[in-house]
Amino acid sequence: MPTVTYELPDGSVHEVDVPCGQSVMDGSVRNNLAGIVAECGGSCSCATCHVYVDAGLFDEVSDEERELLEFAEGVRPESRLSCQLIVGEGCGGVRVRVPDTNGL
Ligand code: FES
């Protein structure tokens, strides 16, 4: 099972085993990590699951995700919505940084 490392806004770092097929958002919410609010539950309509992640390990940004990211604060080139990042076998060791602007 791939391990995803979450860097939270308070500076803490958490390693979580996330089953393939679940999202990076799921791994955070199921482990009660602060920072990924996920108000819409993963339906790509709130942008409160914003994270920074290096490109390449996940599917490309969809038009729907790109449009929603326009409403997120602190957007950078490496911004993604973590509910759209589906973990696969090749995702082990991925590190995501959670901004402190997700509606906390
Ligand atoms: S959880 Fe709402 S857009 Fe990701």
Side-chain angles (χ1 to χ4, degrees):
M1 189 182 308
T3 300
V4 176
T5 301
Y6 297 82
E7 285 182 35
L8 303 189
D10 66 1
S12 63
V13 176
H14 303 262
E15 291 188 349
V16 175
D17 292 333
V18 181
C20 291
Q22 290 193 3
S23 70
V24 170
M25 179 276 283
D26 289 325
S28 175
V29 170
R30 292 177 197 276
N31 287 278
N32 298 313
L33 302 182
I36 294 178
V37 178
E39 265 177 15
C40 75
S43 61
C44 200
S45 60
C46 73
T48 62
C49 63
H50 177 205
V51 297
Y52 304 124
V53 62
D54 294 334
L57 289 176
F58 298 97
D59 289 345
E60 292 189 18
V61 183
S62 67
D63 290 343
E64 185 181 23
E65 181 181 355
R66 184 175 293 109
E67 287 170 14
L68 195 54
L69 274 168
E70 292 177 11
F71 297 99
E73 288 185 48
V75 173
R76 301 178 190 167
E78 67 270 32
S79 288
R80 293 295 305 266
L81 297 179
S82 58
C83 68
Q84 302 302 300
L85 301 176
I86 305 303
V87 173
E89 285 296 342
C91 295
V94 69
R95 198 172 185 96
V96 298
R97 292 167 298 284
V98 181
D100 61 2
T101 54
N102 281 344
L104 296 175

